[in-house]
Amino acid sequence: MVSIDNLPDQLVWEIFNRIKNTKDRNSISLTCKRFHTLDNEQRNYIRIGCGLNPAINALTSLCHRFPNLNKIEITYSGWISNLGKQLEDQGLSILSKTCPLLTDLTLSYCTFITDTGLSYISSCSKLSSLKLNFTPRITGCGIFSIIVTSKNLKTLHLIRCLNVTNLEWLECLGKLKTLEDLSIKNCRGIGEGALIKLGPTWGNIKRLRFEVDANYRYMKLYDRLAVDRWHTQWVPCDNMVEIKLVNCIISPGRGLACILDKCKNLEKIHLDICVGVRDDDIIRLAENSKNLRGISIRVPSDFSIMENPLRLTDGSLKAIAENCKLLEFVALSFSDGEFPSLSSFSQNGILNLVKMCCVKELVLDRVYSFNNVGMKALCFAENLEILELVRCQEISDEGIEFVGRYGNLRVLRLTKCLGVTDDGFKRIVGLGKLEVLVVNDCPQRHISQTPIVGSSSYESSLLAAISHRLPVKPPPAGDRRTPQVHRRPSTSQLQAADIVL
């Protein structure tokens, strides 16, 4: 029998690679000197934060201990002054000197790092991914210094970078032609019109996520020059596979509307409260994106678009159904229940989309046109595996009963559906077909207080899981009375497991 002490280093490294929990990795590395040395050589990722005190000395020690680090995440979420000083620019200087293999850097809530610190990171020639989340002292100049020197930059995420106003770095990034993943979220100085500066880089981008702060919009978003450039410049997006736009303005013939119909290989699109989206935009998108597999649309309320009453109708859903045969995920929602867009998507339009495509997951949020008749019609959806209903108030116990007839449904989630009571669940609990049943904030549900006549142990456990909002794993084949209920670990537990101090 071969002892683990006799295993070659490569095999031990492979074992270490399969251990994802950081605390477990740390414990194993302390069992013997050999494992400690091998782990130090093999560890390529660390996540550090508030426990780094004193910050400079601790970071220096970690970088020397793990010489092959290529991915580092520094996060100070929840930091207060009593936890010690945050890492400053000098720390990034040490990082650039001791981590020559650095390719992926994330700075989150690092409020003391400035453009000077980013300029130190520019010396890392292999850097390909930079993610900044709430770094208020970093401006466009700091990002510019990274882009000028980093010829391999493929991923750039900017989240709540409030002082990034100088947009020369966007033009420089457009000339680089290496960017594949761009995410800009709630950066007040960057509007939709600024994205035209990317130029030729549009042809390389695979994932675009752009979110505008709804409470603060840049008033000069559509200056005359930006509009003219969107009109005259061809924007190729052949490599685009995923688009997510939140709180954006989609105007005919300009801005982001110019790219929606040019993504031939698009697989996922998410439009969240994008004012101005028309049927024509979605129809052209569907006709040119035959590989579309997932679409999520959150329609603005009628109240928010009174001055421009453009609405999406069943014409959009029909175009998607006819052209996107690979569609598997559909999410339709309305932003405000107080002013529902009743004249938008109809129940027949939604059902036709599900019927013509192989939809496996359907999410409906505040879709008041969807009722018990629609629930009955979903019995024909043989591919439907996941159904989520949020604030669909026209659905009652009668509609929930039809869930028992769904052939392949595994997951059912209900949230704030006022018409659903205990009686609706009693008829589907004993079927043993669902793997996960989640019920949140349905005020007429009192399952934990309602006795169920003739319920098996599986049914009782399932009801208890519903009351506590837990996922339920079905019992093994041939044993319907031994359920397995698994609890999710808390968020604090997950975060603690990833932090190396």
Side-chain angles (χ1 to χ4, degrees), residues 181-198:
D181 187 339
L182 176 62
S183 180
I184 300 176
K185 180 179 179 180
N186 294 340
C187 296
R188 296 177 177 180
I190 308 175
E192 296 96 318
L195 296 180
I196 189 61
K197 297 178 181 292
L198 290 173

Side-chain angles (χ1 to χ4, degrees), residues 118-138:
L118 277 191
S119 65
Y120 294 140
I121 295 298
S122 62
S123 62
C124 298
S125 58
K126 296 184 178 181
L127 187 68
S128 61
S129 176
L130 177 64
K131 301 175 183 177
L132 305 179
N133 180 11
F134 192 68
T135 51
R137 297 194 180 187
I138 292 179

Side-chain angles (χ1 to χ4, degrees), residues 263-264 266 279-293 314-328 352-353 356-358:
C263 305
K264 297 180 180 180
L266 190 66
D279 276 341
D280 290 344
D281 297 322
I282 302 299
I283 291 173
R284 288 197 299 268
L285 170 70
E287 291 174 346
N288 291 280
S289 304
K290 305 292 185 180
N291 297 324
L292 194 66
R293 295 181 179 273
D314 288 346
S316 298
L317 301 183
K318 181 180 179 181
I320 296 173
E322 292 176 348
N323 295 280
C324 306
K325 298 301 182 181
L326 300 179
L327 194 67
E328 296 180 346
N352 183 60
L353 175 61
M356 296 181 64
C357 300
C358 300

Side-chain angles (χ1 to χ4, degrees), residues 34-85:
R34 183 191 178 209
F35 283 2
H36 186 269
T37 301
L38 291 177
D39 181 55
N40 292 346
E41 294 177 357
Q42 193 261 354
R43 189 80 66 96
N44 57 14
Y45 164 70
I46 59 172
R47 184 174 185 262
I48 53 182
C50 297
L52 205 66
N53 188 28
I56 297 297
N57 296 338
L59 180 63
T60 303
S61 176
L62 286 173
C63 291
H64 285 301
R65 176 184 172 185
F66 306 118
N68 293 319
L69 289 175
N70 57 41
K71 182 178 179 180
I72 298 177
E73 181 178 354
I74 304 175
T75 176
Y76 281 96
S77 177
W79 176 85
I80 55 177
S81 58
N82 292 339
L83 298 176
K85 290 184 177 181

